[in-house]
Amino acid sequence: MFLLTLIDIIDILLTVVTWIIIAQAILSWLLAFNVISPRNDVVAGIWETLRRLTEPLYAPIRRIMPDFGALDLTPMVVIVIIIIISGPGLNYLRYLAVNYV
C-alpha cells in the first residue's frame, strides 16, 4: 500500500510540474508580445519564480538539444518526458506494486 501511495504522489508531482511548465510558456508568450510588462513587480516575481523552478529541468536538455535560435523547444521536450514517465512508467510500477509486493 505504501508503494502505491508513493507512486500516486509522484504522479501528482509530475502533473504539478507540467502545469508549471505550461504557465511559464504562457507567461513567456505574454511577455514576448508585450501583453504584460516585465517591469511590473508582480509579473517579474512570478517570472523569476517560474524560471527558478524550471531551469534545473531545462539545463540538462539544453546541453543536448541543438540551438534553434529564438525558438526554445526545451519545455516541450520536458513535457514529453514527463508524459512518458507518468504514463507507461508509473503504470508499470503500479503493476509491479500490485502483483509482486
Side-chain angles (χ1 to χ4, degrees):
M1 266 326 205
F2 173 74
L3 192 56
L4 287 175
T5 305
L6 184 63
I7 292 169
D8 288 339
I9 290 171
I10 292 170
D11 193 22
I12 291 169
L13 289 175
L14 289 172
T15 302
V16 169
V17 169
T18 302
W19 282 108
I20 288 171
I21 292 170
I22 291 169
Q24 184 193 25
I26 292 170
L27 187 61
S28 72
W29 294 337
L30 293 175
L31 289 170
F33 293 114
N34 292 321
V35 175
I36 55 177
S37 173
R39 293 187 190 110
N40 185 330
D41 290 338
V42 174
V43 173
I46 292 170
W47 176 253
E48 184 63 22
T49 301
L50 291 174
R51 189 190 66 77
R52 287 184 184 206
L53 287 172
T54 56
E55 193 57 38
L57 297 172
Y58 295 163
I61 309 254
R62 284 191 176 132
R63 280 183 287 218
I64 298 170
M65 290 201 43
D67 186 20
F68 292 109
L71 183 62
D72 186 16
L73 298 177
T74 308
M76 186 174 64
V77 171
V78 172
I79 288 177
V80 167
I81 291 171
I82 289 172
I83 289 170
I84 292 170
I85 291 171
S86 66
L90 290 182
N91 285 338
Y92 181 69
L93 288 177
R94 282 186 186 97
Y95 171 78
L96 291 177
V98 168
N99 292 326
Y100 296 109
V101 175

